């Protein structure tokens, strides 16, 4: 395999695209087969995607260090302890990380412009997570409603835009932008910035920087109802 490793941007992208297609198929069309193979009673299992667009659930490579970066280890252990859709989404997120790591392993000798072009080509494709969770890729400068899961979705953001804030509903886009400027973090007091990830408390409806409450976009996707630290503290009293 090492002798035929992809070297050019186009070859590396083709390898990435094929591995990605394999993993997408495992988590969508072949999902029942994939689910049954991830038996929690078995040893640490990984999901592999190959350049021939085949996928495999298998034990990790024995050699250390491995020939290529390894995918997430032990995906089978969490299968029965999580909602099925949430578990598949979690596997998808880890698979996206693995695909990027393999691509840039092959691209270690690319120059700066070639790496930039490679990432741009990969970024034009939906991530595995976006496909599995049925999220549409976020466009540049999205509006408040673009990319929302549903009208009743929780008030969290993956692209930095507050979603479904009751105070902002049914207003024009221009007015929305004015209202956003009046949104402040309930933790640090900082003003709204569209370049930062925000999350809204489903209890008190205050907004927070994700970094202030230690919530990442990936972690937010796994939370059905978010309660800020203040509301969690009140609930324990």
């Amino acid at each position: 395999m090492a002798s035929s490793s992809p070297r050019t941007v186009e070859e590396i992208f083709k390898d990435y695209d094929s591995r990605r297609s394999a993993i997408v198929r495992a988590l969508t069309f072949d999902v029942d087969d994939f689910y049954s193979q991830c038996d929690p009673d078995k040893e640490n299992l990984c999901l592999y995607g190959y350049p021939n667009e085949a996928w495999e659930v298998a034990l990790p490579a024995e050699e250390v260090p491995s020939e290529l970066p390894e995918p997430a280890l032990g995906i089978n252990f969490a299968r029965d302890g999580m909602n099925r859709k949430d578990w598949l989404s979690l596997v998808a997120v880890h698979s996206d990380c693995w695909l990027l790591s393999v691509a840039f392993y092959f691209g270690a000798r690319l120059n700066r412009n070639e790496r930039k072009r490679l990432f741009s080509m990969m970024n034009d494709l939906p991530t595995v997570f976006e496909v599995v969770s049925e999220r549409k890729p976020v466009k540049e400068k999205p509006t408040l409603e673009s990319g929302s899961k549903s009208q009743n979705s929780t008030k969290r953001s993956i692209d930095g835009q507050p979603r479904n804030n009751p105070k902002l509903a049914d207003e024009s886009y221009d007015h929305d932008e004015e209202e956003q400027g009046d949104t402040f973090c309930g933790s640090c007091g900082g003003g709204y910035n569209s370049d930062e990830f925000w999350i809204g408390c489903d209890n008190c409806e205050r907004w927070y920087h994700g970094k202030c409450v230690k919530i990442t976009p990936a972690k937010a996707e796994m939370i059905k109802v978010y309660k800020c630290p203040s509301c969690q503290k009140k609930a324990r009293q």
Side-chain angles (χ1 to χ4, degrees):
M1 182 175 176
S3 61
S4 59
S5 295
R7 296 182 181 276
T8 68
V9 170
E10 287 71 22
E11 289 173 345
I12 296 171
F13 174 72
K14 183 178 179 181
D15 180 271
Y16 168 85
D17 190 26
S18 297
R19 293 175 188 271
R20 173 188 167 279
S21 296
I23 290 177
V24 166
R25 189 169 70 254
L27 299 179
T28 55
F29 298 109
D30 299 342
V31 66
D32 290 335
D33 186 18
F34 167 72
Y35 190 87
S36 65
Q37 289 190 39
C38 292
D39 187 346
D41 293 330
K42 293 183 178 179
E43 295 184 45
N44 293 303
L45 295 177
C46 304
L47 172 60
Y48 293 88
Y50 297 118
N52 64 354
E53 298 191 11
W55 61 271
E56 180 184 25
V57 172
L59 293 172
E62 293 184 1
E63 63 269 22
V64 179
S66 57
E67 183 180 0
L68 290 175
E70 285 288 295
L73 181 67
I75 57 173
N76 51 314
F77 294 148
R79 191 196 72 175
D80 293 346
M82 297 178 65
N83 172 277
R84 173 166 165 152
K85 187 174 182 180
D86 291 342
W87 176 71
L88 291 172
S89 294
L90 183 62
V91 174
V93 170
H94 282 291
S95 296
D96 280 319
C97 296
W98 176 67
L99 289 169
L100 285 171
S101 68
V102 171
F104 279 89
Y105 173 86
F106 286 136
R109 291 179 174 82
L110 297 178
N111 62 39
R112 178 180 179 181
N113 289 334
E114 288 173 331
R115 290 195 303 271
K116 184 176 181 179
R117 184 158 63 92
L118 173 61
F119 181 76
S120 178
M121 293 168 70
M122 294 189 297
N123 202 39
D124 282 340
L125 295 174
T127 64
V128 177
F129 172 72
E130 286 171 336
V131 174
V132 171
S133 63
E134 299 180 345
R135 282 188 72 245
K136 294 182 179 179
V138 176
K139 305 297 182 182
E140 290 186 6
K141 296 183 179 179
T143 62
L144 288 174
E145 277 68 37
S146 66
S148 296
K149 294 179 183 176
S150 69
Q151 290 183 348
N152 296 321
S153 67
T154 186
K155 302 178 295 304
R156 66 177 58 90
S157 161
I158 295 303
D159 60 342
Q161 293 280 47
R163 308 287 176 95
N164 299 333
N165 189 328
K167 294 189 298 181
L168 307 182
D170 300 323
E171 300 290 337
S172 67
Y173 177 72
D174 289 339
H175 188 58
D176 281 340
E177 288 199 319
E178 293 176 3
E179 289 289 333
Q180 290 175 29
D182 295 331
T183 301
F184 299 95
C185 176
S187 178
C188 72
Y192 172 78
N193 185 333
S194 62
D195 293 329
E196 297 177 304
F197 168 69
W198 287 65
I199 185 167
C201 176
D202 290 292
N203 189 50
C204 68
E205 299 186 351
R206 290 179 181 173
W207 287 91
Y208 296 85
H209 290 114
K211 61 184 180 182
C212 289
V213 290
K214 299 181 180 180
I215 298 292
T216 63
K219 190 174 182 179
E221 279 297 314
M222 307 303 164
I223 303 173
K224 289 184 171 60
V225 178
Y226 175 69
K227 287 188 178 181
C228 67
S230 178
C231 288
Q232 291 181 38
K233 185 177 180 180
K234 291 178 181 178
R236 289 193 295 266
Q237 292 176 345

